[in-house]
């Protein structure tokens, strides 16, 4: 059995732990010395089924696998302190692990029914490791193999304990991709396509029989000439325009009543436990009164992304990503410019509208020409410039983990925010989005 030292798992002690195998010790960073990305995993119907949690050392330069896995180990060791359950909500969280993490004692800090452990492709498969994976699988942990590009004797040793095969579709020829997919499907494994960035890639993997998909193809606009907004979206846009004009509540209610699905959705939202009202709200007039215009505006902006006619619409990755961006930009603005309510509301609008071109299948320029927004919102959405544009770039980078830790810290400096500030606000945004999902009936 490889030699290992006892890890530091006391969340009150932000100490540095070391994990030893037969190789050099792997440093485990302090609890918050990292950036977090929460990347959605979708099913064949493009519904949300989980998140991969990626951690990058804040001190790292170019992507360093050793540093990133060490950051992951710190997160696991301090899972309770860092609120991992609040990050993933009801969804399972996929977490990268190497041999050092798998052989450690603190792996059991994680709830076995809430996580999927991704065994990295760089892990050396030893007899001890196979026995350890079998032990953890028996304890209820689910395993995935990461970045599989071909079958191998080592892979076969682990295969009986593996539920999900993750394939980097950019690292394998399409003809070999189909053969690999057929092979593992015959073995009864679920297939997850990684780095799916275009609709064409998604459709190809769909045809090959993949079960799950990871990548931002769903957030990329596919502009269709002559496309028009459906009636429910037009009603929402009209109501948002009325709110800007500050018209009478009766006029707003009249517009809401034009769409039965929207009316029922708003009534259901206002009667959720989130608001804690003692009696049932059964009219749109009451709903508008108890919600208030600011909250109504936010719900409507979120509902732009939801298909109110389809059950389970709230788990659409687009609505959740837009909601998270909106809340993240709002919280960042509140921290940078406390007390400036209009600025925080503008920031929320920028975050929500940043994906509206993907939603409508129209260019951002076309949408903004038809929508009355300020020049600073237009600059942020079209050019990623100005205060709000820079915040949006920061949020987008944190989603994809495209920047190194050092570069991310440099992006925080103009806002005079620390790494701890950013993580705190990011966690609050995730929690709020999870609440949104629960409130919308999921």
């Amino acid at each position: 059995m490889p030699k290992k030292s006892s890890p530091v798992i006391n969340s009150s002690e932000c100490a540095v732990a070391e994990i030893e195998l037969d190789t050099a010790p792997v440093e485990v960073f302090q609890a918050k010395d990292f950036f977090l990305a929460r990347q959605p995993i979708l099913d064949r119907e493009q519904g949300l089924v989980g998140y991969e949690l990626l951690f990058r050392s804040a001190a790292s330069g170019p992507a360093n696998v050793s540093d990133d896995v060490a950051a992951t180990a710190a997160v696991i060791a301090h899972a309770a302190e860092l609120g991992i359950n609040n990050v993933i909500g009801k969804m399972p969280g996929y977490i990268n692990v190497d041999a050092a993490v798998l052989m450690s004692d603190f792996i059991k800090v994680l709830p076995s029914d809430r996580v999927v452990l991704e065994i990295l492709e760089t892990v050396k498969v030893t007899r001890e490791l196979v026995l350890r994976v079998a032990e953890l699988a028996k304890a209820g942990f689910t395993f995935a193999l990461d970045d599989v590009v071909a079958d191998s004797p080592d892979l076969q040793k682990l295969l009986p304990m593996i539920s999900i095969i993750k394939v980097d579709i950019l690292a394998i020829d399409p003809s070999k991709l189909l053969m690999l997919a057929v092979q593992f499907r015959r073995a009864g494994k679920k297939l997850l396509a990684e780095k799916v960035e275009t609709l064409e890639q998604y459709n190809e993997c769909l045809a090959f029989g993949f079960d799950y998909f990871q990548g931002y193809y769903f957030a990329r606009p596919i502009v269709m000439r002559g496309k028009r907004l459906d009636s429910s979206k037009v009603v929402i846009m009209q109501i948002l325009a009325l709110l800007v004009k500050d018209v009478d509540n009766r006029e707003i209610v009249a517009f809401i009543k034009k769409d039965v699905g929207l009316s029922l959705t708003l009534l259901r939202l206002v009667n959720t436990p989130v608001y804690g009202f003692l009696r049932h709200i059964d009219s749109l007039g009451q709903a508008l009164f108890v919600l208030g215009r600011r909250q109504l505006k936010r719900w409507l902006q979120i509902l732009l992304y939801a298909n109110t006619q389809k059950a389970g619409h709230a788990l659409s990755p687009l609505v959740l990503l837009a909601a998270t961006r909106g809340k993240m930009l709002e919280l960042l603005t509140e921290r940078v410019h406390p007390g400036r309510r209009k600025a925080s509301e503008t920031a929320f609008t920028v975050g929500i509208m940043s994906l509206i071109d993907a939603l409508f299948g129209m260019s951002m320029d076309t949408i903004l020409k038809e929508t009355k927004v300020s020049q600073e919102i237009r600059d942020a959405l079209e050019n990623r410039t100005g205060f709000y544009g820079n915040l949006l770039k920061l949020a987008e980078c944190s989603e994809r983990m495209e920047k190194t830790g050092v570069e991310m810290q440099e992006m925080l400096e103009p806002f005079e925010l620390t790494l701890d500030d950013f993580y705190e606000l990011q966690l609050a945004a995730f929690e709020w989005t999870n609440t949104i999902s629960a409130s919308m009936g999921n």
Side-chain angles (χ1 to χ4, degrees):
M1 177 76 68
K3 178 184 174 185
K4 62 179 185 293
S5 61
S6 298
V8 176
I9 61 174
N10 185 343
S11 63
S12 64
E13 302 174 12
C14 292
V16 174
E18 285 187 350
I19 308 170
E20 291 186 36
L21 289 179
D22 294 331
T23 57
V26 177
E27 182 183 4
V28 178
F29 296 97
Q30 294 185 14
K32 294 183 183 178
D33 290 344
F34 58 83
F35 287 99
L36 163 67
R38 183 178 82 164
Q39 296 190 350
I41 296 171
L42 315 183
D43 62 15
R44 291 176 65 86
E45 285 72 45
Q46 302 193 53
L48 184 67
V49 293
Y51 291 107
E52 179 168 11
L53 304 184
L54 301 172
F55 307 97
R56 171 159 293 172
S57 162
S60 69
N64 185 313
V65 173
S66 176
D67 283 352
D68 294 345
V69 172
T72 300
V75 169
I76 295 173
H78 298 83
E81 176 192 356
L82 298 175
I84 297 303
N85 285 340
N86 293 329
V87 173
I88 59 179
K90 295 180 180 180
M91 296 288 111
Y94 288 58
I95 298 177
N96 291 330
V97 293
D98 65 357
V101 175
L102 283 170
M103 301 304 296
S104 70
D105 292 330
F106 64 75
I107 189 73
K108 293 182 179 178
V109 169
L110 293 171
S112 62
D113 60 336
R114 302 293 311 285
V115 298
V116 176
L117 301 178
E118 291 187 24
I119 302 176
L120 293 170
E121 72 281 6
T122 54
V123 169
K124 182 179 179 181
V125 180
T126 63
R127 180 176 179 276
E128 290 81 5
L129 185 85
V130 172
L131 291 173
R132 178 61 165 171
V133 171
E135 174 194 343
L136 292 171
K138 189 175 181 179
F141 283 94
T142 300
F143 285 92
L145 279 181
D146 195 29
D147 284 347
V148 174
V149 295
D151 196 359
S152 69
D154 280 350
L155 186 152
Q156 288 297 323
K157 294 175 187 176
L158 289 171
L159 201 60
M161 287 82 73
I162 301 300
S163 300
I164 301 165
I165 302 293
K166 296 189 69 175
V167 180
D168 180 350
I169 65 168
L170 299 183
I172 185 170
D173 183 85
S175 61
K176 293 181 180 179
L177 182 63
L178 176 58
M179 293 173 61
L180 204 63
V182 170
Q183 175 187 341
F184 287 118
R185 283 185 63 81
R186 285 176 178 170
K189 307 303 176 184
K190 296 291 186 181
L191 294 169
L192 194 161
E194 293 186 272
K195 300 181 182 176
V196 183
E197 295 297 326
T198 68
L199 185 60
E200 291 76 19
Q201 290 171 338
Y202 164 74
N203 286 330
E204 182 177 62
C205 291
L206 194 67
F208 288 174
F210 277 80
D211 302 281
Y212 307 126
F213 308 86
Q214 184 177 346
Y216 284 92
Y217 68 94
F218 66 89
R220 291 185 180 275
I222 300 172
V223 178
M224 301 172 65
R225 289 187 177 181
K227 182 174 180 179
R228 302 181 65 179
L229 301 182
D230 63 60
S231 58
S232 64
K233 308 302 183 188
V234 172
V235 171
I236 291 175
M237 298 290 278
Q238 288 173 328
I239 297 169
L240 287 170
L242 291 174
L243 288 169
V244 171
K245 294 178 181 177
D246 199 27
V247 303
D248 186 86
N249 278 7
R250 287 174 294 182
E251 192 171 347
I252 294 173
V253 168
F255 262 89
I256 296 175
K257 286 181 177 178
K258 290 183 178 182
D259 189 282
V260 175
L262 177 60
S263 300
L264 293 175
T265 298
L266 286 173
L267 285 174
R268 184 176 64 182
L269 291 174
V270 80
N271 282 296
T272 57
V274 173
Y275 292 101
F277 297 125
L278 298 178
R279 64 190 183 90
H280 187 80
I281 305 299
D282 54 12
S283 76
L284 290 173
Q286 285 180 305
L288 180 54
F289 178 77
V290 298
L291 271 178
R293 294 191 170 208
R294 182 171 183 244
Q295 190 62 41
L296 175 64
K297 181 180 178 182
R298 294 189 172 201
W299 279 119
L300 290 171
Q301 288 172 327
I302 292 168
L303 286 175
L304 278 173
Y305 291 84
N307 181 352
T308 55
Q309 308 301 320
K310 181 180 177 181
H313 65 268
L315 287 186
S316 159
L318 206 58
V319 63
L320 295 179
L321 185 59
T324 302
R325 281 189 188 179
K327 192 63 177 178
M328 187 70 193
L329 265 63
E330 176 195 30
L331 294 173
L332 286 166
T333 301
E334 288 178 350
R335 184 63 60 91
V336 176
H337 297 304
R340 291 175 56 179
R341 180 169 169 173
K342 184 178 179 182
S344 64
E345 290 186 5
T346 298
F348 184 87
T349 297
V350 168
I352 285 287
M353 292 190 68
S354 64
L355 291 165
I356 207 164
D357 50 351
L359 169 69
F360 291 159
M362 300 166 65
S363 71
M364 184 65 76
D365 179 64
T366 299
I367 295 169
L368 294 182
K369 283 179 180 176
E370 298 180 6
T371 310
K372 293 182 179 180
V373 297
S374 65
Q375 187 60 46
E376 57 186 354
I377 293 178
R378 182 182 293 274
D379 290 340
L381 295 174
E382 289 193 311
N383 307 312
R384 300 301 192 263
T385 56
F387 174 77
Y388 301 108
N390 288 327
L391 284 183
L392 181 55
K393 284 193 294 186
L394 179 61
E396 289 172 332
C397 286
S398 71
E399 292 164 5
R400 295 171 177 258
M401 202 69 78
E402 291 175 339
K403 300 289 187 181
T404 67
V406 172
E407 288 173 319
M408 286 289 289
Q409 285 189 310
E410 289 175 352
M411 293 181 72
L412 287 172
E413 286 177 5
F415 303 110
E416 298 183 356
L417 294 171
T418 67
L419 186 57
D420 278 359
D421 290 333
F422 188 76
Y423 180 81
E424 175 192 342
L425 300 179
Q426 190 179 35
L427 182 59
F430 289 154
E431 288 184 85
W432 186 81
T433 307
N434 295 336
T435 301
I436 292 294
S437 177
S439 301
M440 295 176 78
N442 293 283

